[in-house]
Amino acid sequence: MAYVAVKGGERAIEAAHAWLAEARRGEPAVPELGVDQVEEQLGLAVDRVMAEGACYDRGLAALAIKQARGDLIEAAFLLRAYRTTLPRFVAGAPLDTGAMRIRRRISATYKDLPGGQVLGPTFDYTHRLLDFALAAEGEAPPPPPEAPAEAERMPRVTGILAQEGLMQPEARGEAPAEAEPPDLTREPLAFPAARPLRLQSLARGDEGFLLALGYSTQRGYGNAHPFVGEIRMGEVAVEITPPELGFPIEIGEVTLTECQMVNQFAGSKTEPPQFTRGYGLTFGHAERKAMAMALVDRALRARELGEEATAPAESEEFVLYHCDNVEATGFVEHLKLPHYVDFQSELEKIRQLRATALREAAE
Amino acid sequence: MSAPGMNAPLLEASDLALRYGAVPALDGVSLAIWPGEVVAIVGESGSGKTTLLRVLSGLLPPDAGSVLYRDPEGTAQRLEAMGEAALRRLHRTDWGFVHQNPRDGLRLGVSAGGNIGERLMATGARHYGSIREAATAWLRRVEIDPARIDALPRTFSGGMQQRLQIARTLVTHPRLVFMDEPTGGLDVSVQARLLDLIRALVADLGLAVLLVTHDIAAARLLAHRILVMRHGRVVEEGLTDRVLDDPQHAYTQLLVASVLAA
Amino acid sequence: MSATTGYNFGYLDEDTKRMIRRALLKAVAIPGHQVPFGSREMPLPYGWGTGGIQVTASVIGPADRLKVIDQGADDTTNAVSIRRFFARVAGVETTERTAEASIIQTRHRIPETPLREGQILVYQVPMPEPLFRLEPRVAETKRMHALADYGLMHVKLYEDIARHGHVAISYNYPVMVNGRYLMSPSPIPAFDNPKMHRNPALQLFGAGREKRIYAVPPYTEVRSLDFEDHPFEPVRARAGCALCGSRESYLDEVVTDDAGGRIFVCSDTDYCQSRQARQEAAE
């Protein structure tokens, strides 16, 4: 018998892993990348991995990026697989983004407003010219101008509109205030999904997917008339109430980006015309993601607002089932796994169907 | 003619009310339909006749009032107490619904034979050959060439699609069929042929039909009785000839006059 | 807690295992019904067996003996990877012998060797919803299951026969469980479907990405959908195994050259090797 069945899956896997480690390290003559360098100098990649990995830890996110050779979806996956093994102690108190220590805050709806516009660290208004000085590993950049010492509290634009009754108030939800929000990592999605669940899903969702969907609502696939009421980015305190204490304590700070899109709403039988909100919130500095999320959040509210829901971005099942890039990449990439058995049955079936068709043609 | 329930109405509605916001779509409507009877509900668009059909067929719950349906065993069932599973079963066995637009009542990606066979299969038919036979017989009966059994309905003309929808609906021999403007959107010559076909089938099968139409001529041809609706109320009802030849209500007179003028 | 790995026995924490066991009990109580569960992120990608792994991790004990197959074979890379995972996080004995295993996790096959009472077969399921190609909306398919509204599936079979003369489904062939629920058998070849019927073993199905668990208890009726005059027919290559000569087993086609040369060998490696060993012993 000439044929010997293929063996040695175990050895092949070990060899592949060794090869991967070598490829990750690259040319040994080039100094190895430090996790702290990733954390400090590839900060936006770290932010994205924390957001899609649904775990706020800059150091671990940086490690994941290094381990994943810069593949950010793979890095988010590593972070999630780690996160899922952690015990869950308590649900934090709702974050007060109104009390954010602001590094950036802009509004497209008002020229000036209390607290003013703060550009902060942004690519906006940079000219996208490759900076060859960076390739030459230049010196440290000159220090930025001093930020004004502890700015006044900055009211949110949506709050300003609400004072006039022009902004639809947010439902507080049926659950009592102390009830814990739903947790996607513990309970599977079920439809219809309430808005807290939708926002949670979008916050973990893939930036590219949400960007494309948000974009589609601007191009007529959906009924969007958005204005950026406000984008703010900065640090917010996280508070929890340990059961044994009974009062809230601050356990640290997270950097967040919040986007509030203001959208026209024609009104319904029960409500006069007013503005409605699309909301985006992400870990770290992730403005594009926060804006896209706000557009999609508003699109997903079409049904509750009595609008016709026909566009892809307005379909709850379509958006929420497909925005998770860790699920998506797993299922797309599983096509690499062997499917010989199924393919064999397809082969036999095709041969059978062809034989039938040819026989009938001959008759 | 001693079948159970023969002397009782098949469907009986009392005091139905339904509002869309401030607009009353149904305002105290009561009606009954007996086995084998064709009742036409006529009126202009916006008169509430399509809403009435949806409420009577359980697709839309009324704000007030009730609908009683007598099942083949003669037991009266309240529609609102039936539950979705029982209602769906009813819709695919003892009832039929013919939509104005055949695309709402057909599966356009499924062959003509599959469309006719669906209700049979949904109610347990598991013999491919018998399903084919039934489909062939029904195609013939609605005057579609049985050679088209494996063709997709999207290759059919509008009139053929509507006849296919009727075949698909009647294949399980329902006792009560709801028809929503079945000839709407068709050319006049095609309409006449379809009306003839419906009349023949209704007579052969002894169907009870609730027919919603704004076409007085269709109502005259098919219906034993007529209900005239306006602003969600039944303003006049009676035997077809009586209502059309001797209308009592001013609105009915207007309706009949406008068709005569046309 | 296993000292060598730093992880709990079977990787999952006990709360998660309890949650999954509750879902399994419900699934066993309602054969064929998909039970949603709080699927966890696993250290393997979604679509690579995370559902099956979570089910196995929840039912496995130190005394169990685990077999893992992919495409019927114990030595395919994904089977090796999953077997190593459990050897590491549960420290259980593993085996390649179907008859010796108490738990068999599988992707795409049911072993040829008949299973017995007390064994558990855990299927990895990529898409638990048998109706998803006909109706993608999950909310709607849930309603169809609740109402046992399966006419659409039969329409699909009817259309296949009308067009091709045969049902054109060769794997993941839908089954009716206990006369009530339409169920996806996972992408096993239709050839394996009859093995599910009144099987003495407990059959558990885990879909990690879709977050569903379902089950077929021992000796439950499992019927492949068909018509009386077009009965279900399992298809296999019309050949014998080039290694053990079996004419009953499901065969893989192996291309031996680029001139149309091919041979067929058993997809179930344990079955094939056992037969070869017996033949050698007899000689």
Side-chain angles (χ1 to χ4, degrees):
Chain A
M1 178 52 54
Y3 175 75
V4 181
V6 189
K7 283 272 182 191
E10 194 142 353
R11 280 213 330 278
I13 290 175
E14 267 162 24
H17 290 177
W19 213 340
L20 171 69
E22 189 190 14
R24 170 166 54 232
R25 178 59 184 87
E27 168 59 55
V30 175
E32 183 170 350
L33 183 63
V35 169
D36 53 344
Q37 289 173 314
V38 175
E39 189 179 335
E40 289 302 318
Q41 296 174 38
L42 297 177
L44 296 187
V46 170
D47 288 346
R48 179 168 178 183
V49 168
M50 291 196 304
E52 291 167 13
C55 178
Y56 195 96
D57 188 312
R58 301 193 67 82
L60 289 179
L63 170 61
I65 292 169
K66 177 177 175 177
Q67 187 178 332
R69 307 176 63 197
D71 179 334
L72 299 190
I73 294 182
E74 178 72 19
F77 177 25
L78 285 168
L79 202 55
R80 281 211 206 167
Y82 171 76
R83 174 198 187 281
T84 195
T85 64
L86 302 177
R88 216 187 71 149
F89 298 118
V90 67
L95 299 174
D96 181 7
T97 53
M100 178 183 277
R101 206 169 70 245
I102 281 181
R103 283 196 278 149
R104 171 166 164 79
R105 186 262 200 136
I106 53 164
S107 169
T109 51
Y110 292 104
K111 183 173 182 189
D112 200 7
L113 67 169
Q117 311 252 15
V118 181
L119 280 185
T122 176
F123 292 124
D124 299 349
Y125 317 113
T126 62
H127 297 143
R128 269 59 170 207
L129 304 170
L130 279 174
D131 182 356
F132 294 103
L134 282 177
E137 293 177 60
E139 298 151 20
E146 279 295 300
E150 209 48 42
E152 56 191 300
R153 188 179 161 101
M154 295 190 186
R156 282 181 293 202
V157 168
T158 45
I160 297 170
L161 286 167
Q163 279 173 355
E164 224 186 306
L166 295 177
M167 193 75 200
Q168 188 195 39
E170 294 303 330
R172 308 282 314 177
E174 273 102 74
E178 63 268 25
E180 284 188 16
D183 184 349
L184 263 182
T185 66
R186 305 276 142 170
E187 296 291 330
L189 265 179
F191 293 96
R195 194 157 172 231
L197 199 63
R198 298 202 301 253
L199 288 170
Q200 197 175 115
S201 170
L202 296 178
R204 291 155 49 99
D206 182 71
E207 178 171 320
F209 180 72
L210 295 183
L211 176 66
L213 278 178
Y215 178 48
S216 73
T217 68
Q218 293 178 279
R219 290 195 66 265
Y221 291 86
N223 183 31
H225 304 276
F227 296 95
V228 170
E230 188 188 278
I231 294 170
R232 56 172 60 196
M233 183 275 289
E235 280 65 43
V236 176
V238 178
E239 290 186 341
I240 63 164
T241 303
E244 59 272 33
L245 289 183
F247 54 85
I249 56 167
E250 188 178 321
I251 55 167
E253 269 189 350
V254 291
T255 304
L256 296 176
T257 308
E258 180 186 64
C259 172
Q260 306 224 37
M261 289 276 184
V262 177
N263 288 262
Q264 209 185 82
F265 171 49
S268 67
K269 264 174 253 151
T270 51
E271 287 185 88
Q274 58 191 328
F275 292 113
T276 55
R277 187 188 331 243
Y279 189 75
L281 184 75
T282 71
F283 282 156
H285 188 184
E287 218 159 287
R288 184 191 298 123
K289 163 79 178 274
M291 292 176 75
M293 175 175 168
L295 289 174
V296 175
D297 169 50
R298 177 57 183 80
L300 288 176
R301 299 181 64 197
R303 214 176 302 274
E304 78 188 56
L305 294 172
E307 299 166 344
E308 206 186 357
T310 50
E314 294 166 337
S315 162
E316 193 177 72
E317 277 206 19
F318 182 79
V319 174
L320 301 188
Y321 267 130
H322 302 120
C323 72
D324 190 306
N325 56 18
V326 174
E327 288 177 11
T329 197
F331 200 47
V332 167
E333 294 198 48
H334 108 284
L335 293 172
K336 291 184 283 195
L337 290 178
H339 284 79
Y340 344 118
V341 166
D342 295 347
F343 187 69
Q344 184 63 39
S345 62
E346 285 285 88
L347 272 177
E348 294 303 331
K349 181 57 80 174
I350 291 274
R351 283 172 183 149
Q352 181 195 35
L353 298 180
R354 280 173 62 86
T356 307
L358 291 173
R359 201 166 52 240
E360 277 169 10
E363 274 166 16
Chain B
M1 296 301 267
S2 61
M6 214 51 189
N7 298 316
L10 199 51
L11 194 79
E12 199 171 5
S14 46
D15 288 324
L16 295 176
L18 181 70
R19 302 179 84 81
Y20 293 127
V23 187
L26 293 179
D27 189 0
V29 175
S30 301
L31 71 85
I33 177 166
W34 271 262
E37 188 187 30
V38 180
V39 175
I41 303 164
V42 301
E44 303 162 301
S45 54
S47 62
K49 56 190 195 304
T50 294
T51 301
L52 177 60
L53 199 66
R54 289 175 59 79
V55 168
L56 291 175
S57 59
L59 299 176
L60 195 66
D63 295 342
S66 72
V67 181
L68 272 183
Y69 154 72
R70 210 168 299 273
D71 66 24
E73 285 74 46
T75 316
Q77 312 245 24
R78 290 169 65 90
L79 233 52
E80 56 271 32
M82 273 181 76
E84 198 181 343
L87 196 61
R88 273 206 186 191
R89 204 173 310 123
L90 195 57
H91 263 282
R92 62 168 111 99
T93 53
D94 209 27
W95 286 6
F97 201 111
V98 175
H99 299 263
Q100 170 172 7
N101 189 337
R103 268 166 300 198
D104 296 333
L106 292 175
R107 292 189 190 280
L108 293 186
V110 167
S111 70
N115 264 290
I116 298 176
E118 180 171 355
R119 274 169 74 112
L120 294 173
M121 290 182 258
T123 50
R126 294 292 178 266
H127 193 282
Y128 176 81
S130 328
I131 294 165
R132 294 284 284 185
E133 267 171 42
T136 307
W138 269 101
L139 285 174
R140 217 171 261 132
R141 203 155 181 182
V142 298
E143 299 164 18
I144 296 174
D145 180 1
R148 304 290 301 271
I149 188 167
D150 293 329
L152 294 180
R154 67 168 77 96
T155 64
F156 289 8
S157 70
M160 278 169 78
Q161 286 183 357
Q162 198 56 294
R163 280 179 273 137
L164 181 61
Q165 191 193 179
I166 289 169
R168 167 185 161 91
T169 307
L170 297 187
V171 66
T172 52
H173 296 281
R175 292 189 305 152
L176 174 61
V177 178
F178 302 91
M179 295 190 179
D180 186 8
E181 305 272 11
T183 57
L186 297 174
D187 294 342
V188 178
S189 61
V190 179
Q191 278 186 19
R193 183 175 172 196
L194 187 63
L195 283 173
D196 266 351
L197 178 72
I198 293 176
R199 188 166 62 166
L201 287 172
V202 165
D204 282 359
L205 300 168
L207 292 176
V209 177
L210 259 170
L211 169 75
V212 155
T213 183
H214 66 274
D215 180 356
I216 301 288
R220 185 190 284 279
L221 191 67
L222 293 177
H224 302 117
R225 269 196 305 135
I226 284 187
L227 274 74
V228 183
M229 282 194 77
R230 189 187 190 202
H231 297 331
R233 312 183 71 112
V234 176
V235 296
E236 180 161 0
E237 68 171 298
L239 294 176
T240 303
D241 290 347
R242 205 282 292 150
V243 171
L244 296 185
D245 296 341
D246 182 19
Q248 303 294 305
H249 193 277
Y251 177 70
T252 316
Q253 289 165 4
L254 218 86
L255 269 185
V256 175
S258 64
V259 77
L260 291 178
Chain C
M1 182 71 71
S2 150
T4 47
T5 63
Y7 287 104
N8 192 31
F9 178 82
Y11 181 76
L12 296 174
D13 61 274
E14 293 303 315
D15 278 348
T16 300
K17 287 188 198 171
R18 264 195 292 277
M19 175 271 293
I20 293 175
R21 283 185 210 128
R22 277 196 294 272
L24 285 168
L25 286 174
K26 183 170 178 183
V28 168
I30 316 171
H33 168 63
Q34 299 168 47
V35 181
F37 80 111
S39 176
R40 300 292 189 255
E41 259 119 358
M42 299 298 285
L44 272 74
Y46 283 119
W48 297 52
T50 53
I53 292 171
Q54 289 181 78
V55 169
T56 298
S58 302
V59 298
I60 202 166
D64 273 305
R65 191 176 286 192
L66 179 70
K67 170 180 166 84
V68 182
I69 52 173
D70 187 337
Q71 316 297 302
D74 297 87
D75 61 348
T76 39
T77 42
N78 203 44
V80 169
S81 163
I82 292 172
R83 190 166 54 241
R84 287 210 319 186
F85 176 76
F86 278 110
R88 197 159 139 196
V89 299
V92 294
E93 250 188 278
T94 60
T95 179
E96 300 195 354
R97 306 296 305 273
T98 299
E100 288 170 8
S102 58
I103 300 175
I104 302 168
Q105 179 167 329
T106 179
R107 179 169 171 266
H108 296 190
R109 275 308 312 273
I110 298 175
E112 306 288 359
T113 309
L115 302 177
R116 54 179 158 73
E117 276 182 25
Q119 286 183 308
I120 301 177
L121 185 60
V122 178
Y123 295 76
Q124 300 173 199
V125 180
M127 179 44 98
E129 180 48 66
L131 295 161
F132 84 100
R133 286 192 197 285
L134 306 171
E135 173 52 69
R137 290 167 301 172
V138 176
E140 183 57 25
T141 54
K142 260 174 91 170
R143 181 187 303 264
M144 291 163 81
H145 285 294
L147 301 174
D149 190 356
Y150 298 133
L152 200 53
M153 194 76 231
H154 276 280
V155 171
K156 147 83 181 141
L157 300 191
Y158 168 94
E159 292 287 288
D160 277 0
I161 297 174
R163 276 185 69 181
H164 306 294
H166 304 272
V167 173
I169 309 171
S170 62
Y171 63 94
N172 212 342
Y173 191 107
V175 293
M176 188 61 95
V177 178
N178 204 25
R180 173 58 181 85
Y181 282 97
L182 187 70
M183 187 187 91
S184 157
S186 87
I188 58 172
F191 173 84
D192 280 343
N193 273 20
K195 296 178 189 161
M196 307 181 83
H197 179 58
R198 294 190 57 77
N199 196 305
L202 171 62
Q203 303 175 71
L204 304 176
F205 299 77
R209 188 180 42 80
E210 295 286 333
K211 302 168 182 62
R212 296 287 187 277
I213 279 172
Y214 51 101
V216 174
Y219 300 111
T220 303
E221 184 183 78
V222 178
R223 297 282 183 199
S224 304
L225 293 195
D226 63 0
F227 290 99
E228 290 153 16
D229 49 342
H230 284 261
F232 171 80
E233 43 171 340
V235 182
R236 71 186 282 281
R238 272 192 220 149
C241 172
L243 300 178
C244 76
S246 171
R247 304 197 75 86
E248 285 83 48
S249 68
Y250 192 77
L251 300 174
D252 282 340
E253 185 169 331
V254 180
V255 177
T256 51
D257 56 40
D258 57 2
R262 50 180 44 97
I263 58 168
F264 292 89
V265 296
C266 290
S267 122
D268 184 333
T269 47
D270 169 55
Y271 170 85
C272 192
Q273 280 155 16
S274 308
R275 277 176 57 91
Q276 290 176 64
R278 274 203 302 279
Q279 286 159 7
E280 275 167 31
E283 275 166 18

